[in-house]
Amino acid sequence: MGAGLRTLPPATVCDIPRAMRIAAVGFMNAWPLTVGLPWAVTPLLPAAMTRAHLRDCDLVLAPVIAVAGDPAWELLPEAPAIGCRGAVQSVRLDIAAGHDVTTLRHVALSPESQTSNMLAQVLLTGRWQRPNGSVHYATALPNADATVIIGDRALMTPPPPQSIDLGAAWYEWTGLPFVFAAWFRRSGAALVSGLEAQLCAVRDHNLADLDPLLRAQGLAPDGYRDYLTRRLHYGFGPTEQAGLAHFLTLAARLL
């Protein structure tokens, strides 16, 4: 799997009672993986998925930058993930007038997503060859040259004339999918037998007919169906795993 990832062999998963302690990304992009699970799931904003918040959990659907490489967590390699294979629409870098990627000095990060913020930094440093240290990053920069925009804000507001879809930028640069979040188990925690297959079955059921899921959440299906079925991808095969490993290797150079 590459740098920073510890994977759990499926054969080591064992039986315990159903009361697993589970936390998951609380955004809409996680609903196909969490709605309908037979266990209670605590939704958290990605930025809140810190070691302190997750220490009592057995299983998490977490942003990859938050837990990958932490020896307390092991990746479930046969479970679904949240990723994209090109333009994603919900993660972008909006660039102020008068700037382009070669002139940025101050970039405002999203307070909601560590992984999207790191993706922007990896792309600026790697794809666009901005030397590490030449750009100042912070979450509160009112006069920033560019801003990382994610989630509903990105989906519901039109981009400015200069805006980069970070999923597309990654794919064009690497030829690999990008993985935003994946399932991890706490090291040493016993889990329900066949867990990864159950997680995949829930995903397949939800993606087969998203309209009831979206209506139950108070959303018009026509507004979000394309995003959840064409922009996002929920597989975690060899190419997704290669993309994740490559991203984590590049990110480690900036930490």
Side-chain angles (χ1 to χ4, degrees):
M1 281 293 302
L5 293 179
R6 303 176 64 218
T7 62
L8 171 67
T12 68
V13 179
C14 59
D15 288 308
I16 62 166
R18 291 165 63 86
M20 289 188 296
R21 297 163 297 180
I22 306 174
V25 175
F27 286 168
M28 174 177 60
N29 60 9
W31 291 351
L33 302 188
T34 58
V35 173
L37 286 175
W39 312 283
V41 179
T42 300
L44 295 172
L45 290 176
M49 301 191 88
T50 62
R51 293 184 182 184
H53 280 96
L54 300 179
R55 63 188 174 190
D56 294 325
C57 293
D58 302 307
L59 179 70
V60 295
L61 176 61
V64 296
I65 209 68
V67 296
D70 185 338
W73 294 99
E74 294 173 337
L75 179 72
L76 295 181
E78 296 187 9
I82 303 172
C84 65
R85 300 171 187 165
V88 68
Q89 293 186 332
S90 58
V91 181
R92 70 188 198 219
L93 183 69
D94 287 356
I95 300 176
H99 286 280
D100 59 35
V101 291
T102 68
T103 65
L104 301 181
R105 293 290 182 270
H106 303 279
V107 173
L109 301 176
S110 168
E112 299 175 303
S113 176
Q114 302 171 60
T115 299
S116 298
N117 291 336
M118 182 54 70
L119 175 58
Q121 294 176 63
V122 163
L123 286 166
L124 282 166
T125 304
R127 177 173 182 177
W128 296 307
Q129 297 296 299
R130 299 300 308 276
N132 193 16
S134 66
V135 180
H136 172 61
Y137 301 96
T139 54
L141 289 174
N143 297 310
D145 304 328
T147 304
V148 177
I149 306 292
I150 73 159
D152 285 348
R153 184 180 173 193
L155 290 171
M156 303 305 293
T157 59
Q162 285 203 93
S163 181
I164 298 172
D165 186 302
L166 296 183
W170 170 265
Y171 190 77
E172 291 163 3
W173 181 42
T174 66
L176 294 167
F178 188 80
V179 176
F180 293 100
W183 285 105
F184 295 82
R185 76 142 192 180
R186 177 166 292 283
S187 297
L191 300 179
V192 171
S193 179
L195 174 65
E196 289 168 292
Q198 292 184 59
L199 295 173
C200 290
V202 167
R203 172 202 60 194
D204 295 344
H205 173 79
N206 285 330
L207 291 178
D209 188 6
L210 279 171
D211 290 10
L213 183 155
L214 291 169
R215 290 193 188 99
Q217 304 297 329
L219 297 177
D222 288 347
Y224 296 94
R225 191 186 303 112
D226 179 79
Y227 170 63
L228 292 173
T229 59
R230 297 184 61 191
R231 299 300 178 180
L232 290 174
H233 292 269
Y234 294 96
F236 196 44
T239 56
E240 285 80 16
Q241 293 178 22
L244 175 56
H246 187 46
F247 170 66
L248 293 175
T249 297
L250 296 174
R253 297 172 184 170
L254 302 180
L255 296 175

mmCIF file of all heavy atoms in Angstrom, residues 196-217:
data_model
loop_
_atom_site.group_PDB
_atom_site.id
_atom_site.type_symbol
_atom_site.label_atom_id
_atom_site.label_comp_id
_atom_site.label_asym_id
_atom_site.label_seq_id
_atom_site.Cartn_x
_atom_site.Cartn_y
_atom_site.Cartn_z
ATOM 1 N N GLU A 196 -16.094 -5.958 6.170
ATOM 2 C CA GLU A 196 -15.801 -5.254 4.922
ATOM 3 C C GLU A 196 -16.845 -5.583 3.854
ATOM 4 O O GLU A 196 -17.265 -4.702 3.092
ATOM 5 C CB GLU A 196 -14.389 -5.593 4.451
ATOM 6 C CG GLU A 196 -13.328 -4.958 5.345
ATOM 7 C CD GLU A 196 -11.940 -5.501 5.101
ATOM 8 O OE1 GLU A 196 -11.709 -6.680 5.406
ATOM 9 O OE2 GLU A 196 -11.084 -4.738 4.602
ATOM 10 N N ALA A 197 -17.297 -6.820 3.830
ATOM 11 C CA ALA A 197 -18.351 -7.187 2.881
ATOM 12 C C ALA A 197 -19.654 -6.468 3.209
ATOM 13 O O ALA A 197 -20.383 -6.036 2.298
ATOM 14 C CB ALA A 197 -18.568 -8.701 2.908
ATOM 15 N N GLN A 198 -19.948 -6.296 4.493
ATOM 16 C CA GLN A 198 -21.155 -5.568 4.878
ATOM 17 C C GLN A 198 -21.060 -4.102 4.484
ATOM 18 O O GLN A 198 -22.040 -3.504 4.019
ATOM 19 C CB GLN A 198 -21.378 -5.697 6.390
ATOM 20 C CG GLN A 198 -21.751 -7.093 6.842
ATOM 21 C CD GLN A 198 -22.053 -7.132 8.333
ATOM 22 O OE1 GLN A 198 -22.945 -6.448 8.811
ATOM 23 N NE2 GLN A 198 -21.289 -7.936 9.062
ATOM 24 N N LEU A 199 -19.910 -3.500 4.671
ATOM 25 C CA LEU A 199 -19.726 -2.101 4.278
ATOM 26 C C LEU A 199 -19.902 -1.933 2.767
ATOM 27 O O LEU A 199 -20.500 -0.952 2.303
ATOM 28 C CB LEU A 199 -18.344 -1.617 4.718
ATOM 29 C CG LEU A 199 -18.098 -1.560 6.230
ATOM 30 C CD1 LEU A 199 -16.642 -1.218 6.508
ATOM 31 C CD2 LEU A 199 -19.028 -0.569 6.911
ATOM 32 N N CYS A 200 -19.396 -2.877 2.001
ATOM 33 C CA CYS A 200 -19.564 -2.825 0.547
ATOM 34 C C CYS A 200 -21.022 -3.030 0.152
ATOM 35 O O CYS A 200 -21.518 -2.383 -0.781
ATOM 36 C CB CYS A 200 -18.688 -3.884 -0.123
ATOM 37 S SG CYS A 200 -16.907 -3.538 -0.051
ATOM 38 N N ALA A 201 -21.727 -3.905 0.854
ATOM 39 C CA ALA A 201 -23.132 -4.157 0.530
ATOM 40 C C ALA A 201 -23.987 -2.929 0.790
ATOM 41 O O ALA A 201 -24.889 -2.608 0.003
ATOM 42 C CB ALA A 201 -23.643 -5.348 1.343
ATOM 43 N N VAL A 202 -23.719 -2.219 1.878
ATOM 44 C CA VAL A 202 -24.459 -0.980 2.163
ATOM 45 C C VAL A 202 -24.200 0.048 1.072
ATOM 46 O O VAL A 202 -25.122 0.717 0.574
ATOM 47 C CB VAL A 202 -24.060 -0.431 3.549
ATOM 48 C CG1 VAL A 202 -24.548 0.999 3.733
ATOM 49 C CG2 VAL A 202 -24.622 -1.320 4.645
ATOM 50 N N ARG A 203 -22.957 0.189 0.672
ATOM 51 C CA ARG A 203 -22.623 1.104 -0.429
ATOM 52 C C ARG A 203 -23.387 0.738 -1.695
ATOM 53 O O ARG A 203 -24.014 1.606 -2.333
ATOM 54 C CB ARG A 203 -21.122 1.062 -0.702
ATOM 55 C CG ARG A 203 -20.690 1.839 -1.956
ATOM 56 C CD ARG A 203 -19.368 1.354 -2.489
ATOM 57 N NE ARG A 203 -19.418 -0.064 -2.860
ATOM 58 C CZ ARG A 203 -18.330 -0.809 -3.094
ATOM 59 N NH1 ARG A 203 -17.127 -0.280 -2.978
ATOM 60 N NH2 ARG A 203 -18.460 -2.075 -3.439
ATOM 61 N N ASP A 204 -23.348 -0.527 -2.074
ATOM 62 C CA ASP A 204 -23.989 -0.947 -3.315
ATOM 63 C C ASP A 204 -25.494 -0.722 -3.257
ATOM 64 O O ASP A 204 -26.110 -0.293 -4.250
ATOM 65 C CB ASP A 204 -23.686 -2.419 -3.589
ATOM 66 C CG ASP A 204 -22.199 -2.671 -3.842
ATOM 67 O OD1 ASP A 204 -21.471 -1.693 -4.106
ATOM 68 O OD2 ASP A 204 -21.791 -3.841 -3.766
ATOM 69 N N HIS A 205 -26.098 -0.993 -2.119
ATOM 70 C CA HIS A 205 -27.545 -0.787 -1.970
ATOM 71 C C HIS A 205 -27.897 0.687 -2.113
ATOM 72 O O HIS A 205 -28.852 1.042 -2.831
ATOM 73 C CB HIS A 205 -27.999 -1.312 -0.613
ATOM 74 C CG HIS A 205 -29.431 -1.008 -0.297
ATOM 75 N ND1 HIS A 205 -30.485 -1.730 -0.827
ATOM 76 C CD2 HIS A 205 -29.991 -0.024 0.464
ATOM 77 C CE1 HIS A 205 -31.625 -1.220 -0.396
ATOM 78 N NE2 HIS A 205 -31.357 -0.195 0.396
ATOM 79 N N ASN A 206 -27.151 1.555 -1.461
ATOM 80 C CA ASN A 206 -27.466 2.988 -1.513
ATOM 81 C C ASN A 206 -27.237 3.570 -2.906
ATOM 82 O O ASN A 206 -28.049 4.371 -3.391
ATOM 83 C CB ASN A 206 -26.628 3.745 -0.483
ATOM 84 C CG ASN A 206 -27.122 3.543 0.935
ATOM 85 O OD1 ASN A 206 -28.310 3.338 1.170
ATOM 86 N ND2 ASN A 206 -26.212 3.593 1.895
ATOM 87 N N LEU A 207 -26.160 3.187 -3.551
ATOM 88 C CA LEU A 207 -25.868 3.746 -4.869
ATOM 89 C C LEU A 207 -26.828 3.225 -5.934
ATOM 90 O O LEU A 207 -27.035 3.893 -6.959
ATOM 91 C CB LEU A 207 -24.428 3.428 -5.271
ATOM 92 C CG LEU A 207 -23.337 4.154 -4.470
ATOM 93 C CD1 LEU A 207 -21.955 3.707 -4.930
ATOM 94 C CD2 LEU A 207 -23.472 5.670 -4.599
ATOM 95 N N ALA A 208 -27.433 2.077 -5.703
ATOM 96 C CA ALA A 208 -28.381 1.533 -6.678
ATOM 97 C C ALA A 208 -29.641 2.378 -6.766
ATOM 98 O O ALA A 208 -30.311 2.400 -7.810
ATOM 99 C CB ALA A 208 -28.744 0.095 -6.312
ATOM 100 N N ASP A 209 -29.978 3.091 -5.698
ATOM 101 C CA ASP A 209 -31.179 3.942 -5.704
ATOM 102 C C ASP A 209 -30.989 5.034 -4.661
ATOM 103 O O ASP A 209 -31.404 4.887 -3.505
ATOM 104 C CB ASP A 209 -32.424 3.110 -5.400
ATOM 105 C CG ASP A 209 -33.708 3.929 -5.594
ATOM 106 O OD1 ASP A 209 -33.613 5.082 -6.057
ATOM 107 O OD2 ASP A 209 -34.789 3.408 -5.269
ATOM 108 N N LEU A 210 -30.363 6.128 -5.083
ATOM 109 C CA LEU A 210 -30.044 7.214 -4.165
ATOM 110 C C LEU A 210 -31.231 8.096 -3.825
ATOM 111 O O LEU A 210 -31.211 8.790 -2.802
ATOM 112 C CB LEU A 210 -28.940 8.089 -4.769
ATOM 113 C CG LEU A 210 -27.506 7.601 -4.623
ATOM 114 C CD1 LEU A 210 -26.585 8.463 -5.473
ATOM 115 C CD2 LEU A 210 -27.069 7.653 -3.166
ATOM 116 N N ASP A 211 -32.256 8.117 -4.652
ATOM 117 C CA ASP A 211 -33.341 9.069 -4.458
ATOM 118 C C ASP A 211 -33.992 8.969 -3.080
ATOM 119 O O ASP A 211 -34.186 9.997 -2.409
ATOM 120 C CB ASP A 211 -34.381 8.919 -5.565
ATOM 121 C CG ASP A 211 -33.867 9.410 -6.912
ATOM 122 O OD1 ASP A 211 -32.644 9.684 -7.010
ATOM 123 O OD2 ASP A 211 -34.667 9.513 -7.856
ATOM 124 N N PRO A 212 -34.353 7.772 -2.594
ATOM 125 C CA PRO A 212 -34.945 7.703 -1.252
ATOM 126 C C PRO A 212 -34.000 8.216 -0.165
ATOM 127 O O PRO A 212 -34.445 8.866 0.784
ATOM 128 C CB PRO A 212 -35.245 6.209 -1.078
ATOM 129 C CG PRO A 212 -35.345 5.670 -2.463
ATOM 130 C CD PRO A 212 -34.354 6.452 -3.259
ATOM 131 N N LEU A 213 -32.721 7.913 -0.297
ATOM 132 C CA LEU A 213 -31.744 8.388 0.679
ATOM 133 C C LEU A 213 -31.711 9.910 0.706
ATOM 134 O O LEU A 213 -31.730 10.533 1.777
ATOM 135 C CB LEU A 213 -30.369 7.809 0.337
ATOM 136 C CG LEU A 213 -29.192 8.113 1.267
ATOM 137 C CD1 LEU A 213 -28.137 7.012 1.137
ATOM 138 C CD2 LEU A 213 -28.543 9.452 0.955
ATOM 139 N N LEU A 214 -31.662 10.534 -0.475
ATOM 140 C CA LEU A 214 -31.584 11.992 -0.539
ATOM 141 C C LEU A 214 -32.873 12.632 -0.033
ATOM 142 O O LEU A 214 -32.836 13.631 0.695
ATOM 143 C CB LEU A 214 -31.291 12.424 -1.972
ATOM 144 C CG LEU A 214 -29.880 12.079 -2.473
ATOM 145 C CD1 LEU A 214 -29.767 12.291 -3.976
ATOM 146 C CD2 LEU A 214 -28.833 12.920 -1.743
ATOM 147 N N ARG A 215 -34.011 12.066 -0.396
ATOM 148 C CA ARG A 215 -35.283 12.626 0.083
ATOM 149 C C ARG A 215 -35.385 12.519 1.604
ATOM 150 O O ARG A 215 -35.894 13.431 2.265
ATOM 151 C CB ARG A 215 -36.452 11.902 -0.581
ATOM 152 C CG ARG A 215 -36.608 12.188 -2.073
ATOM 153 C CD ARG A 215 -37.949 11.709 -2.589
ATOM 154 N NE ARG A 215 -38.021 11.811 -4.041
ATOM 155 C CZ ARG A 215 -37.828 10.782 -4.871
ATOM 156 N NH1 ARG A 215 -37.584 9.571 -4.387
ATOM 157 N NH2 ARG A 215 -37.894 10.957 -6.181
ATOM 158 N N ALA A 216 -34.899 11.412 2.152
ATOM 159 C CA ALA A 216 -34.947 11.240 3.607
ATOM 160 C C ALA A 216 -34.099 12.274 4.330
ATOM 161 O O ALA A 216 -34.368 12.600 5.495
ATOM 162 C CB ALA A 216 -34.483 9.829 3.973
ATOM 163 N N GLN A 217 -33.091 12.803 3.632
ATOM 164 C CA GLN A 217 -32.243 13.835 4.210
ATOM 165 C C GLN A 217 -32.722 15.241 3.855
ATOM 166 O O GLN A 217 -32.039 16.229 4.151
ATOM 167 C CB GLN A 217 -30.797 13.650 3.730
ATOM 168 C CG GLN A 217 -30.206 12.284 4.029
ATOM 169 C CD GLN A 217 -30.085 11.983 5.501
ATOM 170 O OE1 GLN A 217 -29.888 12.885 6.317
ATOM 171 N NE2 GLN A 217 -30.214 10.717 5.880
#
